[in-house]
Amino acid sequence: MKKKTSITSLLKKKQNGEKFTALTAYDTSFAQIFDEQGIDVILIGDSLGMVLQGNNDTLKVTIDDMAYHTRCVAAGASSAFILADMPFMSYATPEQACLNAAKLMQAGAQMVKLEGAAWLKETIETLTQRSVPVCAHLGLTPQSVHVFGGYKIQGRENNAAQQMIQDAIDLEKAGAQMILLECVPASLAKAITEAVSVPVCGIGAGADTDGQVLVMHDILGISSGYIPKFSKNYLTETGDIRKAVTQFITEVSEGAFPATEHIFE
């Protein structure tokens, strides 16, 4: 049996120049399949609002939704590191963040993920002081979709890029033990990955991050609408769910994914 993945083992992979892999999952069955194939991290994403609940965004997802699905995933994953999203407005204040993070940790999460930048510093400090590991999500943060005016690439302008690099450094200092970058130029993701000592996971963030995460519905070709530019339908190539996951792991490990066509410049 594969040894349980921890934040320490993910950090060791970064230090050794080894890539790690992550997929979203929302129930026991898929969590068990992904776990058995050797995925390093399973993310219970608030993307469930779209792929499971049929909403147009993630904003309607509640902390109780997240705790329920985290509990389901934890029941099926014996080796993978379990990362759970804090949903919209569940961490508006440090006190609120503590109460809601406790629900996810008690449901089986090993780390919680928060979207935001400099304003999160106090919240991250408060959570980590109270034994809640935190992943900071920068770049395209879907909970801010109405502020951004849609799902747009972030950090293309020099000022915005420099600010994101500083935010990553500041959030690590505040206690974040992982950073997730979504939909940012590959050069910016590389700069951030090199600027911090914690593991950096990317989605639509080029090939130079320490790890790659994709939404399970995208790699299996069952998302409604379209497959994002940064993703890939692995089920089409393999014809088998387990082989699709294995190929994703192999391609990330060997540097074959993401390829040029999946990267934003």
Side-chain angles (χ1 to χ4, degrees):
M1 177 183 292
K2 181 183 176 183
K3 185 178 179 181
K4 179 70 175 175
T5 301
S6 65
I7 189 61
T8 302
S9 57
L10 294 175
L11 179 58
K12 190 169 293 185
K13 276 181 175 270
K14 177 186 178 85
Q15 294 168 342
N16 293 338
E18 301 172 15
K19 302 290 186 179
F20 67 87
T21 54
L23 286 173
T24 62
Y26 315 93
D27 65 23
T28 300
S29 298
F30 279 107
Q32 186 169 1
I33 290 172
F34 298 166
D35 192 78
E36 289 172 348
Q37 303 317 302
I39 208 79
D40 295 304
V41 179
I42 295 179
L43 167 64
I44 304 93
D46 58 1
S47 50
L48 67 87
M50 302 169 80
V51 297
L52 297 187
Q53 297 175 341
N55 300 318
N56 293 325
D57 52 43
T58 65
L59 305 185
K60 299 179 183 65
V61 177
T62 67
I63 193 67
D64 289 335
D65 291 336
M66 294 304 305
Y68 170 79
H69 288 281
T70 298
R71 194 171 295 111
C72 292
V73 167
S78 59
S79 300
F81 186 75
I82 299 175
L83 173 62
D85 274 346
M86 297 278 284
F88 179 64
M89 291 300 288
S90 67
Y91 49 99
T93 66
E95 295 76 19
Q96 187 184 29
C98 287
L99 292 172
N100 287 319
K103 294 181 180 180
L104 298 185
M105 297 295 287
Q106 290 167 348
Q110 293 169 266
M111 177 178 275
V112 299
K113 180 164 71 64
L114 284 64
E115 297 182 10
W119 69 271
L120 278 177
K121 287 190 287 186
E122 183 185 356
T123 299
I124 291 174
E125 288 173 352
T126 301
L127 287 171
T128 54
Q129 287 169 359
R130 288 155 180 78
S131 303
V132 178
V134 175
C135 172
H137 183 155
L138 296 170
L140 173 58
T141 47
Q143 292 173 17
S144 302
V145 61
H146 296 307
V147 175
F148 294 149
Y151 296 97
K152 300 177 180 179
I153 312 305
Q154 301 297 307
R156 276 187 162 151
E157 297 176 355
N158 184 61
N159 288 345
Q162 293 304 314
Q163 185 59 58
M164 201 180 301
I165 294 171
Q166 189 59 53
D167 287 338
I169 292 170
D170 290 345
L171 295 182
E172 179 186 7
K173 288 180 180 177
Q177 291 180 278
M178 185 187 296
I179 292 172
L180 188 143
L181 299 176
E182 180 171 355
C183 291
V184 300
S187 58
L188 173 57
K190 184 176 188 293
I192 291 173
T193 302
E194 293 173 349
V196 299
S197 61
V198 297
V200 176
C201 192
I203 178 167
D208 294 306
T209 55
D210 303 306
Q212 298 288 333
V213 59
L214 290 177
V215 175
M216 59 164 277
H217 290 67
D218 290 342
I219 77 157
L220 300 179
I222 54 176
S223 296
S224 59
Y226 75 103
I227 299 294
K229 169 186 171 71
F230 56 73
S231 192
K232 180 178 178 179
N233 184 342
Y234 282 92
L235 189 61
T236 297
E237 294 187 5
T238 61
D240 178 86
I241 292 175
R242 290 170 176 81
K243 290 179 181 178
V245 175
T246 300
Q247 185 169 325
F248 168 61
I249 293 171
T250 299
E251 289 191 4
V252 170
S253 300
E254 295 177 350
F257 180 86
T260 303
E261 64 266 26
H262 308 116
I263 294 172
F264 301 109
E265 298 295 344

